[in-house]
């Protein structure tokens, strides 16, 4: 008789955004006359930039000719894209990352879930709380998190690093020593950031205790303040302790096009074993590469035209963030985020739980957000709104919220 991976049975409920989708669908079925504004999931709404569309069309035309047709992509990704990434995202920022230390994939979500496979199940993880659910859930699936306590909503073998108003939603170094540390800045869901000096403390700590930092920098394109690092490799010593995850979804609108990459420096080792080699082996065995068409589109992100066009898109979303944040503040809400990230993090009013506020907002304003408790126990009492909607919907949502 076959057996299942019973670690999956330990997962409480369904994936956060699946639960939200079901609740919204039920509301719409019961209220077909009401127009729901979605400011919950971090999905973009602006069309792909013209430079990217041109690259897509050109690549499609190539695929229609025998002499320019492309089949399986190289394991790490096409050199033209990896070279563009290495120059623009790293060399131009003074960071020492080579093209062959970059692994192109179909998105940061997949990489953030799969990266744990190259580590022993005995490793102990540390996560910010609140946290992007994928980090914890995939470690549950691997059997690395121990037992779940439904009262505290915490796992016995996970080190939680509370990110609260008291510490500006930035984690403090953990008292218990972890093996793997997940960091995400600018942060999802809180929109918080840390300075380069603060990030350097984490790099120094990881090198000192022999831990690996998995650094999710999916939102770095939204950074507007000077002293906020765009990559962990701006910090001295990061090559010996850090893995970085990057995405084209948020900076270039590739949520439906799918493209991302992971950086693993060859200096990052466990004893004599390079983690780069392990990920390369895993990549080659389980993955056939992002399509040529998408990788050509990714290359266009770094073209002069692409940079200008995407800067305008980022500004569009960050203007939405400003509108939402200022509107909530005018309505009397306690709000953070929305400066270096397209997320607004607000306190729920009148002592409501985050799910109670979700239902209240949906019923009274027909607006969808994300309950903070879905990101971890320290998210209770908070709520996330995204600036990835249209400007018109962002304004309309705020008007509805003010009337509640």
């Amino acid at each position: 008789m076959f057996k299942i991976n019973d670690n999956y049975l330990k997962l409480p409920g369904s994936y956060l955004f699946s639960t939200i989708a079901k609740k919204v669908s039920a509301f719409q079925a019961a209220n077909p006359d009401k127009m729901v504004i979605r400011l919950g999931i971090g999905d973009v709404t602006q069309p792909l930039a013209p430079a990217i569309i041109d690259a897509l069309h050109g690549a499609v035309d190539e695929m229609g000719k025998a002499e320019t047709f492309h089949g399986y992509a190289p394991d790490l990704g096409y050199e033209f894209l990896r070279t563009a990434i290495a120059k623009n995202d790293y060399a131009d920022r003074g960071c020492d990352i080579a093209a062959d230390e970059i692994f192109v994939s179909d998105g940061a979500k997949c990489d953030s879930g799969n990266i744990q496979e190259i580590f022993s199940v005995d490793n102990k993880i540390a996560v910010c709380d609140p946290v992007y659910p994928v980090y914890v859930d995939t470690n549950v699936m691997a059997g690395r998190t121990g037992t779940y306590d439904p009262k505290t909503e915490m796992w016995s073998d996970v080190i939680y690093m509370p990110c609260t108003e008291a510490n500006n939603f930035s984690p403090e170094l953990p008292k218990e020593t972890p093996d793997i540390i997940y960091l995400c800045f600018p942060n999802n869901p809180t929109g918080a950031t840390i300075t380069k000096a603060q990030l350097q403390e984490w790099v120094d700590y990881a090198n000192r205790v022999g831990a690996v930092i998995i650094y999710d920098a999916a939102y770095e394109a939204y950074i507007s303040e000077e002293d906020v690092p765009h990559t962990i490799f701006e910090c001295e010593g990061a090559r010996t302790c850090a893995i970085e995850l990057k995405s084209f979804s948020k900076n270039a609108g590739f949520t439906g096009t799918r493209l991302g990459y992971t950086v693993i420096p060859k200096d990052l080792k466990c004893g004599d074993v390079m983690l780069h080699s392990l990920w390369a082996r895993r990549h080659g065995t389980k993955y056939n590469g992002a399509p040529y068409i998408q990788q050509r589109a990714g290359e266009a992100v770094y073209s002069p035209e692409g940079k200008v066009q995407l800067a305008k898109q980022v500004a569009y979303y960050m203007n939405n963030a400003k509108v939402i944040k200022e509107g909530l503040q005018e309505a009397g809400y306690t709000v953070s985020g929305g400066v270096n990230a397209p997320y607004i993090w607000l306190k729920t009013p009148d002592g409501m739980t985050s799910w109670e506020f979700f239902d209240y907002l949906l019923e009274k304003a027909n607006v969808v957000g994300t309950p903070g408790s879905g990101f971890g126990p320290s998210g209770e009492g908070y709520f996330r709104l995204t600036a990835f909607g249209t400007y018109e919907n962002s304004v309309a949502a705020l008007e509805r919220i003010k009337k509640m």
Side-chain angles (χ1 to χ4, degrees), residues 15-258:
Y15 183 58
L16 171 62
F17 296 104
S18 299
T19 302
I20 290 172
K22 290 176 183 176
K23 290 175 76 75
V24 174
S25 293
F27 177 83
Q28 288 185 306
N31 302 275
D33 58 320
K34 294 183 177 178
M35 191 194 87
V36 173
I37 297 177
R38 299 172 185 265
L39 299 180
I41 191 168
D43 195 2
V44 296
T45 52
Q46 294 300 293
L48 294 173
I52 294 169
I53 292 296
D54 289 344
L56 285 168
H57 282 300
V60 168
D61 290 340
E62 287 185 63
M63 296 296 279
K65 302 173 184 176
E67 60 271 21
T68 53
F69 173 80
H70 289 80
Y72 291 126
D75 282 357
L76 271 66
Y78 284 99
E79 187 173 352
F80 62 77
L81 177 56
R82 291 186 289 107
T83 298
I85 292 169
K87 179 187 183 301
N88 290 273
D89 289 349
Y90 296 100
D92 287 355
R93 297 191 183 281
C95 304
D96 179 22
I97 294 296
D100 65 356
E101 294 175 316
I102 297 165
F103 296 80
V104 177
S105 71
D106 58 359
K109 180 178 181 179
C110 294
D111 287 353
S112 66
N114 293 330
I115 195 68
Q116 52 79 26
E117 289 187 20
I118 66 174
F119 296 99
S120 166
V121 74
D122 298 329
N123 284 299
K124 196 152 197 175
I125 69 167
V127 297
C128 296
D129 175 31
V131 69
Y132 182 46
V134 172
Y135 308 154
V136 174
D137 285 1
T138 53
N139 277 283
V140 174
M141 294 170 180
R144 196 175 282 115
T145 56
T147 56
Y148 182 72
D149 184 342
K151 291 183 179 179
T152 63
E153 298 182 336
M154 299 171 79
W155 294 89
S156 61
D157 292 344
V158 173
I159 299 169
Y160 290 87
M161 303 181 293
C163 298
T164 65
E165 190 175 4
N167 60 14
N168 293 316
F169 303 104
S170 299
E172 298 168 4
L173 297 177
K175 293 179 175 63
E176 184 181 358
T177 303
D179 301 299
I180 303 169
I181 303 165
Y182 286 83
L183 295 178
C184 173
F185 290 106
N187 184 258
N188 177 17
T190 67
T193 55
I194 57 176
T195 65
K196 183 177 178 179
Q198 288 175 304
L199 185 54
Q200 185 66 58
E201 288 181 15
W202 280 99
V203 169
D204 294 343
Y205 171 78
N207 278 318
R208 186 166 66 249
V209 302
V212 171
I213 297 173
I214 298 175
Y215 194 75
D216 186 342
Y219 299 93
E220 64 83 20
Y222 292 85
I223 293 170
S224 61
E225 296 179 323
E226 286 295 323
D227 196 29
V228 179
H230 287 255
T231 166
I232 196 170
F233 297 111
E234 292 179 33
C235 295
E236 186 177 351
R239 285 186 56 86
T240 56
C241 71
I243 294 171
E244 184 160 272
L245 312 175
K246 285 279 193 78
S247 170
F248 287 80
S249 289
K250 313 302 182 180
N251 68 323
F254 279 42
T255 52
T257 308
R258 306 309 305 149

Side-chain angles (χ1 to χ4, degrees), residues 327-366:
L328 289 170
Q329 289 172 331
E330 290 171 7
Y333 288 87
T334 300
V335 190
S336 60
V339 176
N340 295 292
Y343 292 124
I344 294 86
W345 190 241
L346 63 130
K347 271 189 176 181
T348 56
D350 304 322
M352 288 186 188
T353 68
S354 54
W355 277 109
E356 285 172 347
F357 186 66
F358 174 90
D359 292 334
Y360 180 71
L361 193 64
L362 182 59
E363 176 66 34
K364 299 297 183 182
N366 310 148

